[in-house]
Amino acid sequence: MSSIRDKYDTGKTVFSCEVFPPKKDKPIEPTMDKLKDFKDIAPDFLSVTYGAGGSNAGHAVEIASFIRRDVGVDVLSHITSVGFSRTKLDEGLKTFRENKIENVLALRGDRPKTMTDDEYNSRDFFHASDMADFIRENYPDFTIAGACYPDKHFEAEDYDEDIANLKKKVDNGCSFLISQLFFDNEKFYLMQKLMEKAGIKAPVSAGIMPITNAKMLGTTVTLSGTSVPKSLSDLIARYGENDDDMRKAGIEYAINQIKDLLNHGADGIHLYVMNKPEVAREIFANTR
Ligand code: FAD
């Protein structure tokens, strides 16, 4: 079984994309059909999202196995701890292992709306770092990744606190990191400087989301807490009404971000293309 972490040691930039499984009450075949198109794009890996509390766990495992087996691309499966007891997490990880999924992105996840205060405050794993520790201890053959935040995680008081917590994550076994999406590269470079100062040496893939329609930006910002620089809001104001122009401008913005990151020696680029291989194809053709 190959460890995705090794890809960061080849001296080449690691290119990856994030995809998501369908909701558990939806058919899985249309998603599989779409993901087949990643075969000839051949990213270094695809990461598969996971609903908080394992709401779509079955489909997530099926999609991850499909990518590995039928698309022929290495896979990183996200796993969230927020709604999981120790026993349930262990079951989830065993299922991953049975399906030869041994690269995992350990995430806390966000509190589901249905979770009571008591449930939230007595959860087995408080943070992603606690879950990473559990996985490292019980699944030593797994490769563990973690998330980091160029705009700072919204719950942290300041950057210093967030970076100190990030260090715990890496110390507990996260051997590489994927960043939350960001639109201002200076935020990413600042995070890298703070990481260096804190002695965090894990490679980081920079998270880039191409904004291909104006509506996407609002949802993205609400969900991720990412700040929007004036250059991007100007773009939306100028092209937002015209779908074709907006798509072109959004992809160009992402390409320019990536070119600048490559010039700064980024370890990896992680595209939040969300089941749109055609967007990944266009961006990779111009950057890879
Ligand atoms: P943590 O690392 O636990 O951090 C959360 C907060 O707690 C931060 O403010 C941090 O500073 C603080 N903290 C961390 N460790 C400690 C500690 N030991 N002691 C005290 N404070 C601490 N969500 C999903 O539901 N499904 C997904 O598939 C998914 N994929 C994602 C992929 C990426 C690349 C990213 C960046 C995010 C993803 N998310 C996903 C969203 C993620 O679950 C949320 O951002 C969540 O709010 C934080 O998760 P985390 O793993 O970073 O949490």
Side-chain angles (χ1 to χ4, degrees):
M1 191 58 47
S2 68
S3 164
I4 286 174
R5 172 63 182 80
D6 294 344
K7 294 175 189 281
Y8 291 90
D9 291 334
T10 60
K12 288 191 203 148
T13 314
V14 175
F15 283 90
S16 55
C17 301
E18 183 161 311
V19 299
F20 61 92
K23 293 211 167 82
K24 70 174 175 197
D25 53 344
K26 294 274 188 274
I28 200 164
E29 290 74 17
T31 303
M32 289 175 165
D33 268 354
K34 200 86 197 132
L35 298 183
K36 275 185 200 150
D37 289 349
F38 277 105
K39 195 181 182 87
D40 66 302
I41 299 172
D44 289 299
F45 67 90
L46 287 175
S47 86
V48 180
T49 64
Y50 203 77
S55 55
N56 60 353
H59 275 359
V61 172
E62 256 193 272
I63 288 291
S65 303
F66 170 78
I67 290 170
R68 188 185 56 70
R69 205 184 45 229
D70 298 318
V71 185
V73 171
D74 282 331
V75 71
L76 175 72
S77 275
H78 301 199
I79 186 156
T80 53
S81 67
V82 71
F84 271 2
S85 63
R86 200 168 289 269
T87 313
K88 214 173 146 207
L89 178 74
D90 198 33
E91 280 168 17
L93 293 166
K94 276 199 186 107
T95 311
F96 278 3
R97 185 183 268 157
E98 282 158 16
N99 285 277
K100 300 191 171 58
I101 299 162
E102 290 164 358
N103 289 280
V104 293
L105 176 61
L107 297 148
R108 185 198 65 184
D110 288 317
R111 177 179 172 169
K113 287 194 183 78
T114 52
M115 204 176 209
T116 64
D117 285 350
D118 274 355
E119 284 167 339
Y120 190 65
N121 295 327
S122 62
R123 62 196 194 273
D124 277 352
F125 301 99
F126 265 79
H127 291 290
S129 51
D130 304 319
M131 177 166 58
D133 196 31
F134 176 86
I135 301 174
R136 180 178 57 173
E137 185 82 18
N138 295 285
Y139 293 81
D141 47 327
F142 277 30
T143 296
I144 316 167
C148 59
Y149 297 84
D151 276 272
K152 180 183 85 54
H153 187 267
F154 67 96
E155 289 168 29
E157 283 288 322
D158 52 38
Y159 278 100
D160 286 343
E161 182 185 313
D162 209 24
I163 294 291
N165 291 330
L166 182 62
K167 180 145 188 349
K168 287 181 204 158
K169 210 181 271 197
V170 173
D171 289 346
N172 283 4
C174 292
S175 62
F176 69 98
L177 300 167
I178 300 184
S179 93
Q180 181 59 284
L181 60 98
F182 59 92
F183 300 113
D184 177 357
N185 286 5
E186 293 307 320
K187 297 273 174 76
F188 185 78
Y189 303 141
L190 171 67
M191 182 189 73
Q192 282 184 312
K193 271 195 196 125
L194 295 173
M195 284 174 63
E196 198 183 333
K197 209 168 123 200
I200 303 173
K201 294 202 166 64
V204 188
S205 278
I208 299 295
M209 177 177 265
I211 298 296
T212 49
N213 64 67
K215 224 167 64 198
M216 236 175 118
L217 186 67
T219 324
T220 302
V221 169
T222 313
L223 289 177
S224 66
T226 303
S227 60
V228 179
K230 188 171 178 308
S231 49
L232 183 60
S233 50
D234 284 352
L235 214 73
I236 306 281
R238 187 155 175 205
Y239 300 112
E241 299 287 303
N242 182 316
D243 286 354
D244 285 348
D245 289 351
M246 186 61 234
R247 186 181 185 282
K248 226 190 268 172
I251 289 180
E252 196 179 311
Y253 189 93
I255 289 173
N256 288 335
Q257 259 193 293
I258 295 169
K259 284 185 173 166
D260 184 66
L261 287 158
L262 296 179
N263 284 335
H264 281 76
D267 302 311
I269 302 294
H270 186 70
L271 281 186
Y272 291 93
V273 285
M274 315 318 288
N275 301 8
K276 287 190 194 136
E278 64 282 3
V279 175
R281 191 188 305 278
E282 204 170 326
I283 293 179
F284 281 173
N286 285 283
T287 54
R288 203 176 182 186

